[in-house]
PDB file of all heavy atoms in Angstrom:
ATOM      1  N   ARG R   3      -5.607 -14.264  -2.840  1.00  0.00           N
ATOM      2  CA  ARG R   3      -6.068 -12.882  -3.002  1.00  0.00           C
ATOM      3  C   ARG R   3      -5.260 -12.127  -4.057  1.00  0.00           C
ATOM      4  O   ARG R   3      -5.529 -10.968  -4.322  1.00  0.00           O
ATOM      5  CB  ARG R   3      -5.996 -12.138  -1.661  1.00  0.00           C
ATOM      6  CG  ARG R   3      -6.989 -12.681  -0.634  1.00  0.00           C
ATOM      7  CD  ARG R   3      -7.243 -11.660   0.454  1.00  0.00           C
ATOM      8  NE  ARG R   3      -6.036 -11.402   1.226  1.00  0.00           N
ATOM      9  CZ  ARG R   3      -5.939 -10.434   2.128  1.00  0.00           C
ATOM     10  NH1 ARG R   3      -6.965  -9.621   2.354  1.00  0.00           N
ATOM     11  NH2 ARG R   3      -4.821 -10.261   2.818  1.00  0.00           N
ATOM     12  N   ILE R  47       4.946   1.274 -15.899  1.00  0.00           N
ATOM     13  CA  ILE R  47       5.316   1.698 -14.545  1.00  0.00           C
ATOM     14  C   ILE R  47       4.815   3.112 -14.260  1.00  0.00           C
ATOM     15  O   ILE R  47       5.142   3.700 -13.246  1.00  0.00           O
ATOM     16  CB  ILE R  47       6.840   1.609 -14.314  1.00  0.00           C
ATOM     17  CG1 ILE R  47       7.615   2.346 -15.399  1.00  0.00           C
ATOM     18  CG2 ILE R  47       7.274   0.156 -14.235  1.00  0.00           C
ATOM     19  CD1 ILE R  47       9.072   2.556 -15.052  1.00  0.00           C
ATOM     20  N   ASP R  48       4.041   3.676 -15.169  1.00  0.00           N
ATOM     21  CA  ASP R  48       3.422   4.978 -14.922  1.00  0.00           C
ATOM     22  C   ASP R  48       2.001   4.957 -15.478  1.00  0.00           C
ATOM     23  O   ASP R  48       1.835   5.017 -16.687  1.00  0.00           O
ATOM     24  CB  ASP R  48       4.243   6.101 -15.565  1.00  0.00           C
ATOM     25  CG  ASP R  48       3.719   7.471 -15.152  1.00  0.00           C
ATOM     26  OD1 ASP R  48       3.062   7.546 -14.096  1.00  0.00           O
ATOM     27  OD2 ASP R  48       3.970   8.448 -15.875  1.00  0.00           O
ATOM     28  N   PRO R  49       0.981   4.873 -14.661  1.00  0.00           N
ATOM     29  CA  PRO R  49       1.038   4.888 -13.207  1.00  0.00           C
ATOM     30  C   PRO R  49       1.633   3.605 -12.630  1.00  0.00           C
ATOM     31  O   PRO R  49       1.460   2.522 -13.193  1.00  0.00           O
ATOM     32  CB  PRO R  49      -0.432   5.038 -12.787  1.00  0.00           C
ATOM     33  CG  PRO R  49      -1.219   4.538 -13.933  1.00  0.00           C
ATOM     34  CD  PRO R  49      -0.418   4.827 -15.156  1.00  0.00           C
ATOM     35  N   LEU R  50       2.303   3.780 -11.508  1.00  0.00           N
ATOM     36  CA  LEU R  50       3.039   2.671 -10.897  1.00  0.00           C
ATOM     37  C   LEU R  50       2.164   1.793 -10.023  1.00  0.00           C
ATOM     38  O   LEU R  50       2.230   0.574 -10.096  1.00  0.00           O
ATOM     39  CB  LEU R  50       4.181   3.264 -10.060  1.00  0.00           C
ATOM     40  CG  LEU R  50       5.087   2.274  -9.330  1.00  0.00           C
ATOM     41  CD1 LEU R  50       5.892   1.453 -10.323  1.00  0.00           C
ATOM     42  CD2 LEU R  50       6.022   3.013  -8.378  1.00  0.00           C
ATOM     43  N   LEU R  51       1.363   2.431  -9.200  1.00  0.00           N
ATOM     44  CA  LEU R  51       0.632   1.696  -8.163  1.00  0.00           C
ATOM     45  C   LEU R  51      -0.707   1.172  -8.668  1.00  0.00           C
ATOM     46  O   LEU R  51      -1.275   1.688  -9.635  1.00  0.00           O
ATOM     47  CB  LEU R  51       0.388   2.617  -6.958  1.00  0.00           C
ATOM     48  CG  LEU R  51       1.655   3.186  -6.313  1.00  0.00           C
ATOM     49  CD1 LEU R  51       1.288   4.222  -5.255  1.00  0.00           C
ATOM     50  CD2 LEU R  51       2.495   2.085  -5.710  1.00  0.00           C
ATOM     51  N   LEU R  52      -1.199   0.150  -7.976  1.00  0.00           N
ATOM     52  CA  LEU R  52      -2.525  -0.363  -8.278  1.00  0.00           C
ATOM     53  C   LEU R  52      -3.558   0.655  -7.791  1.00  0.00           C
ATOM     54  O   LEU R  52      -3.257   1.505  -6.965  1.00  0.00           O
ATOM     55  CB  LEU R  52      -2.744  -1.710  -7.583  1.00  0.00           C
ATOM     56  CG  LEU R  52      -2.036  -2.922  -8.199  1.00  0.00           C
ATOM     57  CD1 LEU R  52      -0.542  -2.871  -8.003  1.00  0.00           C
ATOM     58  CD2 LEU R  52      -2.581  -4.207  -7.618  1.00  0.00           C
ATOM     59  N   ARG R  53      -4.766   0.540  -8.330  1.00  0.00           N
ATOM     60  CA  ARG R  53      -5.830   1.458  -7.944  1.00  0.00           C
ATOM     61  C   ARG R  53      -6.896   0.707  -7.159  1.00  0.00           C
ATOM     62  O   ARG R  53      -7.311  -0.377  -7.572  1.00  0.00           O
ATOM     63  CB  ARG R  53      -6.473   2.062  -9.211  1.00  0.00           C
ATOM     64  CG  ARG R  53      -5.527   2.933 -10.027  1.00  0.00           C
ATOM     65  CD  ARG R  53      -5.247   4.227  -9.269  1.00  0.00           C
ATOM     66  NE  ARG R  53      -4.436   5.166 -10.018  1.00  0.00           N
ATOM     67  CZ  ARG R  53      -3.107   5.243  -9.950  1.00  0.00           C
ATOM     68  NH1 ARG R  53      -2.438   4.392  -9.209  1.00  0.00           N
ATOM     69  NH2 ARG R  53      -2.442   6.166 -10.620  1.00  0.00           N
ATOM     70  N   PRO R 225      -5.264   8.173  -0.516  1.00  0.00           N
ATOM     71  CA  PRO R 225      -4.195   7.612  -1.336  1.00  0.00           C
ATOM     72  C   PRO R 225      -3.636   6.383  -0.622  1.00  0.00           C
ATOM     73  O   PRO R 225      -3.538   6.362   0.600  1.00  0.00           O
ATOM     74  CB  PRO R 225      -3.155   8.733  -1.381  1.00  0.00           C
ATOM     75  CG  PRO R 225      -3.923   9.983  -1.122  1.00  0.00           C
ATOM     76  CD  PRO R 225      -5.013   9.580  -0.164  1.00  0.00           C
ATOM     77  N   CYS R 228      -0.139  -0.127  -1.006  1.00  0.00           N
ATOM     78  CA  CYS R 228      -0.144  -1.590  -1.088  1.00  0.00           C
ATOM     79  C   CYS R 228      -1.540  -2.198  -1.047  1.00  0.00           C
ATOM     80  O   CYS R 228      -1.786  -3.219  -1.681  1.00  0.00           O
ATOM     81  CB  CYS R 228       0.719  -2.186   0.017  1.00  0.00           C
ATOM     82  SG  CYS R 228       0.002  -2.049   1.674  1.00  0.00           S
ATOM     83  N   THR R 232       0.533  -3.085   4.727  1.00  0.00           N
ATOM     84  CA  THR R 232       1.957  -3.120   5.055  1.00  0.00           C
ATOM     85  C   THR R 232       2.690  -1.802   4.819  1.00  0.00           C
ATOM     86  O   THR R 232       3.661  -1.519   5.503  1.00  0.00           O
ATOM     87  CB  THR R 232       2.693  -4.232   4.274  1.00  0.00           C
ATOM     88  OG1 THR R 232       2.564  -3.990   2.888  1.00  0.00           O
ATOM     89  CG2 THR R 232       2.136  -5.592   4.615  1.00  0.00           C
ATOM     90  N   CYS R 233       2.224  -0.993   3.879  1.00  0.00           N
ATOM     91  CA  CYS R 233       2.972   0.251   3.623  1.00  0.00           C
ATOM     92  C   CYS R 233       2.639   1.318   4.658  1.00  0.00           C
ATOM     93  O   CYS R 233       3.406   2.250   4.850  1.00  0.00           O
ATOM     94  CB  CYS R 233       2.744   0.759   2.201  1.00  0.00           C
ATOM     95  SG  CYS R 233       1.178   1.631   1.922  1.00  0.00           S
ATOM     96  N   LEU R 234       1.524   1.164   5.343  1.00  0.00           N
ATOM     97  CA  LEU R 234       1.082   2.099   6.382  1.00  0.00           C
ATOM     98  C   LEU R 234       0.833   3.504   5.836  1.00  0.00           C
ATOM     99  O   LEU R 234       0.908   4.493   6.563  1.00  0.00           O
ATOM    100  CB  LEU R 234       2.074   2.134   7.554  1.00  0.00           C
ATOM    101  CG  LEU R 234       2.450   0.769   8.161  1.00  0.00           C
ATOM    102  CD1 LEU R 234       3.452   0.945   9.307  1.00  0.00           C
ATOM    103  CD2 LEU R 234       1.213   0.035   8.668  1.00  0.00           C
ATOM    104  N   GLY R 235       0.539   3.589   4.549  1.00  0.00           N
ATOM    105  CA  GLY R 235       0.358   4.885   3.903  1.00  0.00           C
ATOM    106  C   GLY R 235      -1.025   5.479   4.072  1.00  0.00           C
ATOM    107  O   GLY R 235      -1.186   6.693   4.099  1.00  0.00           O
ATOM    108  N   ALA R 237      -3.170   5.877   6.438  1.00  0.00           N
ATOM    109  CA  ALA R 237      -3.591   6.059   7.825  1.00  0.00           C
ATOM    110  C   ALA R 237      -4.734   7.059   7.937  1.00  0.00           C
ATOM    111  O   ALA R 237      -4.817   8.019   7.172  1.00  0.00           O
ATOM    112  CB  ALA R 237      -2.406   6.529   8.662  1.00  0.00           C
ATOM    113  N   LEU R 244      -4.421   5.590  15.203  1.00  0.00           N
ATOM    114  CA  LEU R 244      -4.332   5.561  13.736  1.00  0.00           C
ATOM    115  C   LEU R 244      -4.796   4.209  13.214  1.00  0.00           C
ATOM    116  O   LEU R 244      -4.403   3.168  13.738  1.00  0.00           O
ATOM    117  CB  LEU R 244      -2.885   5.797  13.292  1.00  0.00           C
ATOM    118  CG  LEU R 244      -2.345   7.226  13.327  1.00  0.00           C
ATOM    119  CD1 LEU R 244      -0.903   7.238  12.842  1.00  0.00           C
ATOM    120  CD2 LEU R 244      -3.191   8.169  12.474  1.00  0.00           C
TER     121      LEU R 244
ATOM    122  N   TYR K  29       3.163 -11.343   4.053  1.00  0.00           N
ATOM    123  CA  TYR K  29       3.320 -11.705   2.646  1.00  0.00           C
ATOM    124  C   TYR K  29       3.288 -13.207   2.399  1.00  0.00           C
ATOM    125  O   TYR K  29       3.373 -13.657   1.258  1.00  0.00           O
ATOM    126  CB  TYR K  29       4.608 -11.071   2.083  1.00  0.00           C
ATOM    127  CG  TYR K  29       4.401  -9.603   1.766  1.00  0.00           C
ATOM    128  CD1 TYR K  29       4.426  -8.641   2.765  1.00  0.00           C
ATOM    129  CD2 TYR K  29       4.113  -9.187   0.466  1.00  0.00           C
ATOM    130  CE1 TYR K  29       4.189  -7.305   2.498  1.00  0.00           C
ATOM    131  CE2 TYR K  29       3.873  -7.855   0.185  1.00  0.00           C
ATOM    132  CZ  TYR K  29       3.912  -6.920   1.205  1.00  0.00           C
ATOM    133  OH  TYR K  29       3.662  -5.599   0.928  1.00  0.00           O
ATOM    134  N   GLU K  31       0.967 -15.235   2.389  1.00  0.00           N
ATOM    135  CA  GLU K  31      -0.146 -15.692   1.543  1.00  0.00           C
ATOM    136  C   GLU K  31       0.108 -15.413   0.056  1.00  0.00           C
ATOM    137  O   GLU K  31      -0.579 -15.956  -0.802  1.00  0.00           O
ATOM    138  CB  GLU K  31      -1.465 -15.030   1.979  1.00  0.00           C
ATOM    139  CG  GLU K  31      -1.539 -13.552   1.675  1.00  0.00           C
ATOM    140  CD  GLU K  31      -2.972 -12.989   1.798  1.00  0.00           C
ATOM    141  OE1 GLU K  31      -3.841 -13.329   0.992  1.00  0.00           O
ATOM    142  OE2 GLU K  31      -3.160 -12.175   2.693  1.00  0.00           O
ATOM    143  N   PHE K  32       1.071 -14.554  -0.237  1.00  0.00           N
ATOM    144  CA  PHE K  32       1.294 -14.162  -1.633  1.00  0.00           C
ATOM    145  C   PHE K  32       2.494 -14.849  -2.288  1.00  0.00           C
ATOM    146  O   PHE K  32       2.614 -14.876  -3.504  1.00  0.00           O
ATOM    147  CB  PHE K  32       1.480 -12.642  -1.732  1.00  0.00           C
ATOM    148  CG  PHE K  32       0.282 -11.863  -1.270  1.00  0.00           C
ATOM    149  CD1 PHE K  32       0.319 -11.102  -0.112  1.00  0.00           C
ATOM    150  CD2 PHE K  32      -0.905 -11.908  -1.989  1.00  0.00           C
ATOM    151  CE1 PHE K  32      -0.788 -10.383   0.313  1.00  0.00           C
ATOM    152  CE2 PHE K  32      -2.024 -11.199  -1.569  1.00  0.00           C
ATOM    153  CZ  PHE K  32      -1.963 -10.440  -0.417  1.00  0.00           C
ATOM    154  N   LYS K  52       4.413   5.961  16.602  1.00  0.00           N
ATOM    155  CA  LYS K  52       3.127   6.272  15.975  1.00  0.00           C
ATOM    156  C   LYS K  52       3.292   6.716  14.528  1.00  0.00           C
ATOM    157  O   LYS K  52       2.386   6.573  13.719  1.00  0.00           O
ATOM    158  CB  LYS K  52       2.453   7.380  16.800  1.00  0.00           C
ATOM    159  CG  LYS K  52       1.018   7.662  16.414  1.00  0.00           C
ATOM    160  CD  LYS K  52       0.386   8.696  17.365  1.00  0.00           C
ATOM    161  CE  LYS K  52      -1.045   9.000  16.953  1.00  0.00           C
ATOM    162  NZ  LYS K  52      -1.317  10.391  16.673  1.00  0.00           N
ATOM    163  N   PRO K  56      -1.846  11.380   9.085  1.00  0.00           N
ATOM    164  CA  PRO K  56      -2.298  11.003   7.742  1.00  0.00           C
ATOM    165  C   PRO K  56      -1.893  12.020   6.672  1.00  0.00           C
ATOM    166  O   PRO K  56      -1.615  13.177   6.983  1.00  0.00           O
ATOM    167  CB  PRO K  56      -3.812  10.934   7.890  1.00  0.00           C
ATOM    168  CG  PRO K  56      -4.039  10.621   9.328  1.00  0.00           C
ATOM    169  CD  PRO K  56      -2.937  11.312  10.066  1.00  0.00           C
ATOM    170  N   ARG K  58       0.222  10.406   4.045  1.00  0.00           N
ATOM    171  CA  ARG K  58       1.523   9.756   4.158  1.00  0.00           C
ATOM    172  C   ARG K  58       2.101   9.261   2.843  1.00  0.00           C
ATOM    173  O   ARG K  58       3.296   8.966   2.783  1.00  0.00           O
ATOM    174  CB  ARG K  58       1.398   8.558   5.089  1.00  0.00           C
ATOM    175  CG  ARG K  58       1.167   8.907   6.534  1.00  0.00           C
ATOM    176  CD  ARG K  58       0.954   7.625   7.316  1.00  0.00           C
ATOM    177  NE  ARG K  58       1.137   7.811   8.737  1.00  0.00           N
ATOM    178  CZ  ARG K  58       1.273   6.785   9.584  1.00  0.00           C
ATOM    179  NH1 ARG K  58       1.249   5.549   9.139  1.00  0.00           N
ATOM    180  NH2 ARG K  58       1.436   7.012  10.861  1.00  0.00           N
ATOM    181  N   VAL K  59       1.276   9.050   1.841  1.00  0.00           N
ATOM    182  CA  VAL K  59       1.814   8.580   0.547  1.00  0.00           C
ATOM    183  C   VAL K  59       1.223   9.402  -0.586  1.00  0.00           C
ATOM    184  O   VAL K  59       0.095   9.892  -0.499  1.00  0.00           O
ATOM    185  CB  VAL K  59       1.515   7.079   0.276  1.00  0.00           C
ATOM    186  CG1 VAL K  59       2.312   6.184   1.196  1.00  0.00           C
ATOM    187  CG2 VAL K  59       0.036   6.769   0.351  1.00  0.00           C
ATOM    188  N   GLU K  61       1.483   9.268  -5.043  1.00  0.00           N
ATOM    189  CA  GLU K  61       2.108   8.702  -6.245  1.00  0.00           C
ATOM    190  C   GLU K  61       2.642   9.805  -7.145  1.00  0.00           C
ATOM    191  O   GLU K  61       2.003  10.850  -7.308  1.00  0.00           O
ATOM    192  CB  GLU K  61       1.095   7.855  -7.009  1.00  0.00           C
ATOM    193  CG  GLU K  61       1.739   7.109  -8.173  1.00  0.00           C
ATOM    194  CD  GLU K  61       0.797   6.119  -8.832  1.00  0.00           C
ATOM    195  OE1 GLU K  61      -0.304   5.884  -8.306  1.00  0.00           O
ATOM    196  OE2 GLU K  61       1.179   5.572  -9.877  1.00  0.00           O
ATOM    197  N   CYS K  64       6.199   7.301 -12.192  1.00  0.00           N
ATOM    198  CA  CYS K  64       7.067   6.127 -12.009  1.00  0.00           C
ATOM    199  C   CYS K  64       7.602   5.995 -10.590  1.00  0.00           C
ATOM    200  O   CYS K  64       8.678   5.411 -10.381  1.00  0.00           O
ATOM    201  CB  CYS K  64       8.231   6.125 -12.997  1.00  0.00           C
ATOM    202  SG  CYS K  64       7.693   6.206 -14.698  1.00  0.00           S
ATOM    203  N   GLY K  65       6.894   6.534  -9.641  1.00  0.00           N
ATOM    204  CA  GLY K  65       7.383   6.431  -8.272  1.00  0.00           C
ATOM    205  C   GLY K  65       6.338   6.847  -7.266  1.00  0.00           C
ATOM    206  O   GLY K  65       5.179   7.086  -7.606  1.00  0.00           O
ATOM    207  N   ILE K  70       5.847   7.996   6.102  1.00  0.00           N
ATOM    208  CA  ILE K  70       5.192   7.184   7.125  1.00  0.00           C
ATOM    209  C   ILE K  70       5.699   7.613   8.505  1.00  0.00           C
ATOM    210  O   ILE K  70       4.940   7.644   9.471  1.00  0.00           O
ATOM    211  CB  ILE K  70       5.484   5.677   6.908  1.00  0.00           C
ATOM    212  CG1 ILE K  70       5.171   5.239   5.473  1.00  0.00           C
ATOM    213  CG2 ILE K  70       4.738   4.817   7.926  1.00  0.00           C
ATOM    214  CD1 ILE K  70       3.764   5.458   5.015  1.00  0.00           C
ATOM    215  N   GLN K  73       6.559   4.466  11.660  1.00  0.00           N
ATOM    216  CA  GLN K  73       5.579   3.791  12.521  1.00  0.00           C
ATOM    217  C   GLN K  73       5.973   2.324  12.671  1.00  0.00           C
ATOM    218  O   GLN K  73       6.251   1.639  11.689  1.00  0.00           O
ATOM    219  CB  GLN K  73       4.180   3.881  11.894  1.00  0.00           C
ATOM    220  CG  GLN K  73       3.129   3.144  12.719  1.00  0.00           C
ATOM    221  CD  GLN K  73       1.733   3.216  12.104  1.00  0.00           C
ATOM    222  OE1 GLN K  73       1.475   4.005  11.210  1.00  0.00           O
ATOM    223  NE2 GLN K  73       0.838   2.382  12.593  1.00  0.00           N
ATOM    224  N   PRO K 217      10.781   3.104  -9.605  1.00  0.00           N
ATOM    225  CA  PRO K 217      11.678   3.139 -10.767  1.00  0.00           C
ATOM    226  C   PRO K 217      12.180   4.539 -11.115  1.00  0.00           C
ATOM    227  O   PRO K 217      13.228   4.669 -11.768  1.00  0.00           O
ATOM    228  CB  PRO K 217      10.842   2.560 -11.914  1.00  0.00           C
ATOM    229  CG  PRO K 217       9.536   2.173 -11.343  1.00  0.00           C
ATOM    230  CD  PRO K 217       9.529   2.404  -9.872  1.00  0.00           C
ATOM    231  N   PHE K 268       4.704  -3.392  -3.358  1.00  0.00           N
ATOM    232  CA  PHE K 268       3.374  -2.774  -3.297  1.00  0.00           C
ATOM    233  C   PHE K 268       2.621  -2.983  -4.612  1.00  0.00           C
ATOM    234  O   PHE K 268       1.402  -3.072  -4.633  1.00  0.00           O
ATOM    235  CB  PHE K 268       3.487  -1.271  -3.034  1.00  0.00           C
ATOM    236  CG  PHE K 268       4.169  -0.906  -1.741  1.00  0.00           C
ATOM    237  CD1 PHE K 268       4.852   0.284  -1.613  1.00  0.00           C
ATOM    238  CD2 PHE K 268       4.117  -1.764  -0.643  1.00  0.00           C
ATOM    239  CE1 PHE K 268       5.472   0.635  -0.413  1.00  0.00           C
ATOM    240  CE2 PHE K 268       4.736  -1.423   0.559  1.00  0.00           C
ATOM    241  CZ  PHE K 268       5.418  -0.223   0.672  1.00  0.00           C
ATOM    242  N   VAL K 269       3.367  -3.008  -5.692  1.00  0.00           N
ATOM    243  CA  VAL K 269       2.752  -3.153  -7.016  1.00  0.00           C
ATOM    244  C   VAL K 269       2.384  -4.616  -7.267  1.00  0.00           C
ATOM    245  O   VAL K 269       1.373  -4.918  -7.897  1.00  0.00           O
ATOM    246  CB  VAL K 269       3.726  -2.650  -8.105  1.00  0.00           C
ATOM    247  CG1 VAL K 269       3.120  -2.800  -9.489  1.00  0.00           C
ATOM    248  CG2 VAL K 269       4.120  -1.200  -7.830  1.00  0.00           C
ATOM    249  N   PRO K 271       2.776  -8.106  -4.788  1.00  0.00           N
ATOM    250  CA  PRO K 271       3.291  -8.688  -3.548  1.00  0.00           C
ATOM    251  C   PRO K 271       4.245  -9.860  -3.795  1.00  0.00           C
ATOM    252  O   PRO K 271       5.036 -10.199  -2.921  1.00  0.00           O
ATOM    253  CB  PRO K 271       2.040  -9.179  -2.822  1.00  0.00           C
ATOM    254  CG  PRO K 271       0.883  -8.540  -3.501  1.00  0.00           C
ATOM    255  CD  PRO K 271       1.307  -8.153  -4.878  1.00  0.00           C
TER     256      PRO K 271
END
Side-chain angles (χ1 to χ4, degrees):
Chain R
R3 293 200 295 171
I47 53 167
D48 188 23
L50 180 67
L51 301 173
L52 285 70
R53 295 289 185 268
C228 72
T232 60
C233 79
L234 308 179
L244 283 180
Chain K
Y29 282 79
E31 70 166 292
F32 299 111
K52 189 175 179 238
R58 291 176 162 194
V59 290
E61 187 172 352
C64 304
I70 308 302
Q73 178 180 346
F268 300 152
V269 180

